[in-house]
Amino acid sequence: MNLFYNTFEEISRSILDFFENISIPISKPNRKMLSSIIPAMIKSESVVTADISNRLNSNDFSINNDSKLKRIWRFTNNKNIDIYEVFDCIIKDVINRIANVKHDKLIVTLDHMFTKNNFVTLMFTLKIDNQGIPLYFCTERTSSNCHSEIQINSRKKLFSEKFIMRSIDKVIELLSPLNTKITFLADRWFFNLKILNLISNRGHFFCFRAKVNSSVKVYSFDKKEGHCIYKHLNDFHSNRHHAKYYEGLEFGDMHFKCNLSISRGVSNDDEDWYIVSNIDPNKAIRNYSKRFGCIEMFFKSQKTNGFYLESTKTKNLHAFETIYGVACIASLWLNIIAIDYIKNYKNYKNKINIHYNKKNKNRKPSRILSTFKLGLTIFQTVFTSRINFKLKTNFKLYL
């Protein structure tokens, strides 16, 4: 007898049960549709509706491909579906049930992502293992992928100071059940004293890269002058052989106190890092480097190494928001699957042994698969297979 495990019906039904338990704010038919689109999107590794419809192999759907395409189109274009509320309901449940939270170990990264010059997304991710999971996002239309053009000409809300500050407040509130400090990481575009002051006033940490040519003045002691004077960031030079650190500098007219860490000089075209923080300046550069795995790898998993978001042909904002939100839910689930596998590797390896580490020259393990890629590999290996390995759909995350 040939017994298949993790069939499409089993997975979609289990995901639907989870959605029913937490009562995501959409109708029952739409919950059922969402629970089917998620595994179909993962199996196809695509956000294109035609690719997703080809993987909707369930008795609940017609064998007619045009019929499946219409159902997916109606779902993504349904104005009654607010994917932000849906995702918020899911991520709140995930956070409220997180186990093994380590004090002061929460790292959140924020950044913008552009899709085909048609859409821009403000994304916040929480560092889990060697990658980030989506926490909060918002998408809008754009006609340019240049920060300066958007800031000067478009005045898009996702780039506005007030919107970013409101979003940071939402993320802090979202993570408040964990009752621990958060370290926010961001690239130089987000260097804004009001944003940094907000994070500091909320009792959390920041580690932001600053623009070397920033107009923000720094009130600092000058050895030649023998007293404190106003300087610009480019007056603080890097050292070729070691990093430089400054504590208690006063930034701007508001005399906002924070620390400055400057990476050692580089010989190529890369610019030195000027990291402004309210943490130990000796740790700031190392902490900031975690930004790349936390959010750049997440963006990669949505574009060129996962769901190939750039291949979407939709120009409708609501449809894009919906499909992007579904991709975020799918990515969240895959990361949770991977974390569970890593945590229980000794128990699982007899059923499915996926090598995600290798030993380097020092005989220490180093990762060869990102958390997302590991989750995707596990899914593709056991989905509708004879391997008796149950994919968990309870969205239980361990830190």
Side-chain angles (χ1 to χ4, degrees), residues 36-196:
S36 298
I37 290 177
I38 291 171
M41 178 183 288
I42 297 173
K43 185 61 181 176
S44 65
E45 296 184 33
S46 173
V47 296
V48 177
T49 53
D51 297 333
I52 295 172
S53 67
N54 289 333
R55 298 296 182 174
L56 286 175
N57 301 322
S58 170
N59 294 329
D60 295 326
F61 295 91
S62 168
I63 59 173
N64 186 305
N65 201 48
D66 288 340
S67 175
K68 290 188 286 186
L69 281 171
K70 288 179 181 178
R71 290 187 65 177
I72 296 172
W73 185 92
R74 285 197 296 267
F75 177 85
T76 56
N77 288 271
N78 190 337
K79 297 294 184 180
N80 294 321
I81 296 176
D82 188 333
I83 200 64
Y84 298 117
E85 289 186 358
V86 172
F87 183 80
D88 187 58
C89 181
I90 294 170
I91 196 64
K92 280 181 178 178
D93 182 81
V94 171
I95 289 170
N96 286 331
R97 294 187 294 118
I98 284 181
N100 304 329
V101 178
K102 296 180 180 178
H103 187 61
D104 295 348
K105 293 295 183 180
L106 295 185
I107 294 179
V108 172
T109 305
L110 57 151
D111 204 354
H112 292 105
M113 183 188 78
F114 297 91
T115 306
K116 295 178 68 174
N117 290 351
N118 293 325
F119 306 101
V120 60
T121 303
L122 174 63
M123 171 61 70
F124 288 76
T125 61
L126 173 67
K127 185 178 184 298
I128 298 294
D129 192 48
N130 68 345
Q131 202 167 330
I133 60 169
L135 276 180
Y136 171 81
F137 65 92
C138 188
T139 296
E140 67 177 351
R141 282 189 172 281
T142 181
S143 57
S144 169
N145 64 355
C146 177
H147 284 126
S148 58
E149 288 182 18
I150 291 172
Q151 189 177 18
I152 295 172
N153 302 322
S154 303
R155 298 295 180 186
K156 294 286 184 177
K157 70 173 184 179
L158 298 190
F159 294 86
S160 72
E161 175 187 283
K162 290 183 178 179
F163 187 85
I164 293 171
M165 291 172 71
R166 285 200 302 269
S167 300
I168 290 173
D169 269 333
K170 288 180 181 179
V171 170
I172 291 174
E173 182 183 357
L174 185 64
L175 295 174
S176 60
L178 302 182
N179 194 30
T180 187
K181 301 290 186 181
I182 306 167
T183 301
F184 287 89
L185 309 179
D187 201 1
R188 50 192 167 183
W189 192 91
F190 292 89
F191 177 60
N192 180 301
L193 294 183
K194 290 184 179 179
I195 293 175
L196 301 185

Side-chain angles (χ1 to χ4, degrees), residues 191 206-212 218 220 231-238 243-251 256-263 272-285:
F191 177 60
F206 59 82
C207 196
F208 282 29
R209 184 179 175 186
K211 296 178 181 178
V212 181
V218 183
S220 172
K231 300 180 180 180
H232 289 95
L233 282 176
N234 54 17
D235 293 324
F236 296 84
H237 302 293
S238 63
K244 297 176 73 173
Y245 309 104
Y246 302 87
E247 292 188 73
L249 298 180
E250 297 181 9
F251 284 72
F256 179 66
K257 284 191 175 183
C258 44
N259 305 323
L260 175 66
S261 307
I262 308 176
S263 64
D272 301 331
W273 288 357
Y274 283 68
I275 309 299
V276 179
S277 68
N278 61 346
I279 63 174
D280 184 346
N282 290 279
K283 300 178 181 179
I285 295 174

Side-chain angles (χ1 to χ4, degrees), residues 383-394:
F383 186 71
T384 313
S385 72
R386 294 186 177 91
I387 301 174
N388 186 11
F389 178 90
K390 184 173 177 58
L391 287 170
K392 294 183 178 179
T393 56
N394 61 356

